Amino acid sequence: MVQHKYVIVGGVAGGMSAAARLRRLDESASIIVLERGPYVSFANCGLPYYVSGEIEDEGALLLQTPASLAASLDLDVRIGHSVVGLDAAAHRVTVSAGGSVEELQYDALVLSPGALAAKPPIPGLDHPRVRTLRTVEDAKALRGMTAEGATRAVVLGAGFIGIEAAEALAARELAVSVVEFAPHVLPPLEKEMAWLVAQEMRRLGMDVRESVAAKAVTDDLGQAVVELSDGGSIAADIVILSVGGTPDTSVFVEAGLADDRGYVMVDDHGHTNLPDVYAVGDATLSVDAVTGKRRPIQLAGPANRAGRLVADAIAGTFTARPTPHPLGTAIVRVGSLTAAMTGANRATLDDTGRNYTTIHTHPGNHAGYFPGSTQMHLMVHVDLDSGLILGAQGVGGEGVDKRLDILATAMRAGLTAPGLMDLDLCYSPPYGAAKDPITMVGMVADNVVTGQTRLWHPEQLDWARSQDVLLLDVRSESEFASGHLPEAVNIPHTKLRSRLDEVRQLVAGRPVAVMCQSGVRSYIAHRVLVAAGFDSATLSGGMLTLKAWLGPDAETTLVKP
């Protein structure tokens, strides 16, 4: 019997999934896992929660050790081993460990090198107070700094890791400033959803600075001082650099493997351009399931799946399933809120020229009459030609994760947005509603796709406020008095039918842009107006969405009598 020789470079998610699957498929194979760091299998997604103290024991982060993997899977796991060379033609890698160098032959090579913390060209990033949060050592160092009396922290970058790091340090009662170069925190989120997250961060006591860049880090008697592009500066005991990751592939670039950005191109079975060399994880470029374009997806779920499926392709014992094109489904906790997303966002869809619309809803997480119901905010991008779901986002409390998982599943299955209303979902008052938030999204989508509802959106606010449009606010008089657009005329939806002649005089041949608090009453008003012959559209998500879209400008845009 031929003994196959497999070498895996990098552990954690993708590499260890490939190694474990290969063993299950080939009991006689020689499987060597090379890990540069001291840990081959650790819960990197749990690191922020170790910093916060929610995970108390460092050992809980360590999922497997070389000894446990040898005992259970007969894997030869070598920590502290760095690959310093690759000769693909000779099927050989050169490995450095403990001052010595050796060469290993392989029949198949799986690369899972991961990513390094990106380091922009900012002077002073070598200051001892500047840290990253990507390894167990990083988490231990940060927890140690908080225990030693750190009181002030600056987080550079408000992506997923930056947000989690900021929340962890705030939980340790540090004064936390978050600096984000993009116009809003969590840049993949739409602006109206990101505003909700930023407000929760401020509620937690964080100083959130958006559209601001760090220019330099200087020293002031041992403290780090972050100099900002707006002329300000922040002194801190801890500075966390969290501005993304870069592929850790320099040695493989030299072997002709990666592109000019350092990412590895792979086919649907993880195969690279080199013979018998495969790659998975953060260093690869994935085909986006919505746009078809290649982009990095640095998430644990896709890496784990790819590791398993690459092993299937290598073993060749059956027809291997292709690695699915990822949707980029992701989630983050921010205080009492959850923010989650899947698929494409508005910017991506605009770049690709898709004919789409956006649905905003603001349902309760469960039946409103059952105690503890809280509001969530959902948005779904819908292709107007096919009805397919192109992307979705949610922000709120309990139940957001469930709804985004349903939407991600529907996208994977090719279900249309109107088809969401046909799903049989669990219902009991503590868990949902007879018309689940997902059901309601489907009903709204059906109305929009079939033309029963015409939407207008916050980005069309200038049109709605122009003299060419009648802006009709159908909230109650008291709601209108609490804050409204100055151009709006207030006719409560319950009085609209009896005042259609008044509307007809006000319209004077113009279209009507209807709005309410959440979009429900304006939809009812919109149908009344359409039945009466008016050219009408209803604001998607109502005033709740509009205020979030306006963000800090809401105070000056809306007026009160």
Side-chain angles (χ1 to χ4, degrees), residues 8 20 29 46 60 79 98 125 128 145 163-164 187 189 228 246 277 310 390 489 521 529 534 545:
I8 319 292
I79 59 176
L125 290 183
M145 293 169 80
I163 292 286
E164 290 172 340
L189 275 182
L228 303 175
T246 58
V277 178
V310 160
L390 302 176
V489 173
R521 287 171 290 175
L529 291 170
F534 292 94
T545 295

Side-chain angles (χ1 to χ4, degrees), residues 219-244:
D219 181 78
D220 181 16
L221 300 176
Q223 259 198 337
V225 179
V226 180
E227 307 289 344
L228 303 175
S229 59
D230 62 1
S233 63
I234 312 171
D237 303 304
I238 299 173
V239 177
I240 296 184
L241 181 64
S242 182
V243 294

Side-chain angles (χ1 to χ4, degrees), residues 190 288-291 295 326-328 341-346 348-350 352-358 379-393 407-408 410-412 415-417 420:
E190 309 294 7
D288 187 279
V290 175
T291 67
R295 67 183 180 103
L327 291 165
M341 65 193 75
T342 188
N345 61 14
R346 188 182 285 118
T348 301
L349 294 173
D350 289 343
T352 57
R354 297 294 286 262
N355 180 28
Y356 74 97
T357 192
T358 303
M379 65 181 303
V380 179
H381 299 306
V382 180
D383 189 295
L384 286 173
D385 298 321
S386 65
L388 290 173
I389 306 163
L390 302 176
Q393 299 183 2
L407 290 165
M411 292 180 69
R412 175 64 65 205
L415 191 68
T416 66
L420 293 172

Side-chain angles (χ1 to χ4, degrees), residues 100-149:
S100 63
V101 176
E102 67 173 319
E103 293 184 340
L104 296 176
Q105 295 291 139
Y106 63 81
D107 294 313
L109 175 67
V110 180
L111 304 178
S112 181
L116 301 170
K119 290 193 174 182
I122 299 173
L125 290 183
D126 57 348
H127 192 286
R129 295 283 179 179
V130 177
R131 309 292 307 189
T132 57
L133 183 52
R134 300 187 75 89
T135 67
V136 174
E137 289 87 350
D138 289 337
K140 290 166 63 177
L142 287 170
R143 186 153 160 174
M145 293 169 80
T146 63
E148 291 166 3

Side-chain angles (χ1 to χ4, degrees), residues 435-475:
K435 292 181 180 178
D436 189 86
I438 293 296
T439 308
M440 294 304 300
V441 168
M443 289 180 173
V444 175
D446 182 65
N447 286 340
V448 172
V449 170
T450 59
Q452 298 174 61
T453 301
R454 179 182 163 205
L455 299 176
W456 68 278
H457 297 88
E459 57 266 39
Q460 298 173 285
L461 186 57
D462 289 343
W463 165 81
R465 298 178 66 182
S466 72
Q467 294 182 353
D468 298 327
V469 176
L470 173 65
L471 182 57
L472 182 62
D473 191 325
V474 297
R475 294 178 296 163

Side-chain angles (χ1 to χ4, degrees), residues 211-360:
S211 298
V212 178
K215 292 181 61 178
V217 178
T218 59
D219 181 78
D220 181 16
L221 300 176
Q223 259 198 337
V225 179
V226 180
E227 307 289 344
L228 303 175
S229 59
D230 62 1
S233 63
I234 312 171
D237 303 304
I238 299 173
V239 177
I240 296 184
L241 181 64
S242 182
V243 294
T246 58
D248 187 9
T249 55
S250 57
V251 66
F252 308 118
V253 170
E254 296 173 6
L257 187 65
D259 70 2
D260 56 0
R261 294 181 298 164
Y263 287 102
V264 179
M265 299 280 286
V266 296
D267 65 16
D268 283 348
H269 295 286
H271 200 278
T272 71
N273 60 306
L274 300 180
D276 300 311
V277 178
Y278 299 77
V280 298
D282 291 356
T284 64
L285 288 178
S286 300
V287 176
D288 187 279
V290 175
T291 67
K293 294 184 177 181
R294 290 189 176 272
R295 67 183 180 103
I297 302 286
Q298 296 184 345
L299 296 169
N304 274 295
R305 287 191 294 274
R308 174 190 174 95
L309 295 174
V310 160
D312 289 352
I314 292 171
T317 54
F318 46 85
T319 302
R321 296 173 61 244
T323 302
H325 297 165
L327 291 165
T329 307
I331 193 167
V332 64
R333 186 192 69 188
V334 188
S336 64
L337 290 184
T338 296
M341 65 193 75
T342 188
N345 61 14
R346 188 182 285 118
T348 301
L349 294 173
D350 289 343
D351 286 343
T352 57
R354 297 294 286 262
N355 180 28
Y356 74 97
T357 192
T358 303
I359 293 168
H360 299 83

